[in-house]
Amino acid sequence: WLGGLFTAGNISSYQQNGFSKNINITAGYILPQQRNKLRLRLGVQFYNGRSLVNEFYNRKEKFIAAFFAFDV
């Protein structure tokens, strides 16, 4: 295989911010897609929800990010 597509999503809510939704969607390409090998993931992430740092729990963040990661 030369690789493959991946997607992931998460929706959560917490009492400390009035149970408003936190949405995280990730999609990208992983290569190679062989088992027990070092893999590289290239992708895009969308987030809309409470502050990820959690210091400002009453504030919301919204962003789109590009990333690359190694899976060992």
Side-chain angles (χ1 to χ4, degrees):
W1 286 89
L2 296 176
L5 299 173
F6 72 90
T7 60
N10 183 39
I11 299 175
S12 61
S13 64
Y14 299 94
Q15 182 178 5
Q16 59 197 146
N17 62 343
F19 294 105
S20 63
K21 289 186 282 190
N22 307 303
I23 300 170
N24 183 17
I25 300 170
T26 305
Y29 195 77
I30 188 168
L31 34 80
Q33 198 174 10
Q34 297 172 355
R35 193 170 184 171
N36 299 326
K37 299 271 185 180
L38 180 68
R39 291 180 273 199
L40 172 65
R41 286 185 293 136
L42 306 168
V44 176
Q45 177 182 13
F46 168 77
Y47 180 79
N48 185 12
R50 70 183 182 133
S51 172
L52 291 175
V53 178
N54 207 21
E55 180 147 344
F56 306 107
Y57 66 90
N58 59 343
R59 299 202 181 170
K60 295 189 70 106
E61 292 182 346
K62 185 176 193 178
F63 63 83
I64 297 174
F67 69 89
F68 69 96
F70 289 100
D71 295 334
V72 183

